[in-house]
Amino acid sequence: MRLTEQQVRSLYGQDVQDRSGAKIGSVGQVWADPSGEATWVSVKTGVMGHHESMAPLDAARMQQDGRLQVQYDKATVRSAPSVETGTNQPLSTEQLAQLYRHYQIGEQAGPPPQQQAGGPEVTRSEERLRVGTQSEPAGAARLSKRVVTENVQTSVPVEHDEVTVVHEPILDADRANVRADIGEEQREMQLRAEHPVVAKDQVPVERVRLNKDEVVEEQPVNAQVRRELVDADVPERARRNR
């Protein structure tokens, strides 16, 4: 079974099932060949002691829930050769020979499998704030034209006729040419006067239009994001000081 590095790391602590689906124990350690392919796991069976039974991964399958299913029965795995819990040594030639005989599989040439570094792990995640912008209607600007009435005061020059009565004496030399009839008589003179006349002209005076400019400004954004914290509960005796 070819596993990625992430899958190998996820094996630690996972339940191990036999070919019928019965639980055997949980994965303790993982061994890989020189190419990095995982080949063996140790299984914590719950039996008192400091040893873990070995099981091959050549025909094993990973279930969708992460559990590991080996193609052997529970008794075969529990009675398999074991290794010490927490060992970091590669499998020796003698150990491999015992395992091949126990599981009745052919011996494979090459260097012995090396124990994979690592252990049970979890993935710590956190939320990152992704801030963007979204355009939305913000109202409408309109131009409306309406009519108002206002008073306008101005002045204009006007002309009119004024009458002046002039008395002019008739000289002795002119009396012979002037009739001296006595009687009633009336004469008239046409008089003229101007008065203001108002007319209205409609003329264009200006153009009014709307211009739109995009203005960029900084606006604060406050949001809450979640992140995970990982706490390790390790017994004091097993804790390594670094």
Side-chain angles (χ1 to χ4, degrees), residues 17-233:
Q17 297 176 330
D18 69 2
R19 60 190 176 193
S20 67
K23 180 178 177 179
I24 305 173
S26 60
V27 176
Q29 301 164 83
V30 182
W31 279 261
D33 62 15
S35 67
E37 182 176 356
T39 54
W40 294 88
V41 293
S42 63
V43 183
K44 299 177 182 179
T45 59
V47 178
M48 296 296 292
H50 301 284
H51 290 80
E52 300 169 0
S53 300
M54 297 293 294
L57 291 175
D58 56 341
R61 293 186 303 126
M62 284 194 69
Q63 308 284 27
Q64 291 185 349
D65 56 4
R67 290 180 296 180
L68 179 68
Q69 185 176 36
V70 296
Q71 298 306 307
Y72 301 92
D73 58 41
K74 185 174 184 178
T76 300
V77 176
R78 288 200 167 190
S79 61
S82 61
V83 294
E84 290 186 5
T85 299
T87 183
N88 57 3
Q89 298 298 320
L91 298 176
S92 65
T93 303
E94 181 181 353
Q95 286 176 307
L96 283 175
Q98 293 176 357
L99 290 171
Y100 291 145
R101 287 195 298 270
H102 179 80
Y103 286 104
Q104 298 180 3
I105 55 180
E107 296 189 16
Q108 301 175 1
Q114 301 285 330
Q115 196 229 353
Q116 288 284 86
E121 69 173 22
V122 295
T123 300
R124 188 182 70 84
S125 303
E126 65 183 22
E127 293 178 336
R128 298 290 176 85
L129 198 62
R130 185 174 67 251
V131 180
T133 61
Q134 180 178 0
S135 179
E136 62 181 14
R142 296 181 180 87
L143 282 178
S144 299
K145 187 170 71 170
R146 56 194 176 89
V147 177
V148 296
T149 301
E150 59 182 8
N151 291 326
V152 177
Q153 290 185 349
T154 186
S155 61
V156 59
V158 294
E159 295 180 357
H160 69 276
D161 293 337
E162 291 186 356
V163 176
T164 303
V165 179
V166 179
H167 295 270
E168 182 179 350
I170 298 175
L171 300 177
D172 293 339
D174 295 330
R175 285 193 177 100
N177 298 323
V178 179
R179 295 177 60 181
D181 298 338
I182 298 176
E184 293 182 357
E185 188 178 356
Q186 183 176 348
R187 302 285 180 93
E188 67 178 23
M189 175 188 294
Q190 295 295 324
L191 301 177
R192 186 179 62 87
E194 295 180 339
H195 64 275
V197 176
V198 176
K200 299 177 182 179
D201 296 326
Q202 295 183 359
V203 295
V205 293
E206 66 176 351
R207 290 188 177 93
V208 181
R209 63 176 178 268
L210 294 176
N211 287 335
K212 183 174 69 173
D213 296 324
E214 290 187 356
V215 179
V216 179
E217 61 182 6
E218 295 290 333
Q219 186 170 352
V221 176
N222 294 322
Q224 291 183 337
V225 296
R226 299 178 301 167
R227 62 188 179 94
E228 297 174 337
L229 299 178
V230 178
D231 297 323
D233 186 7

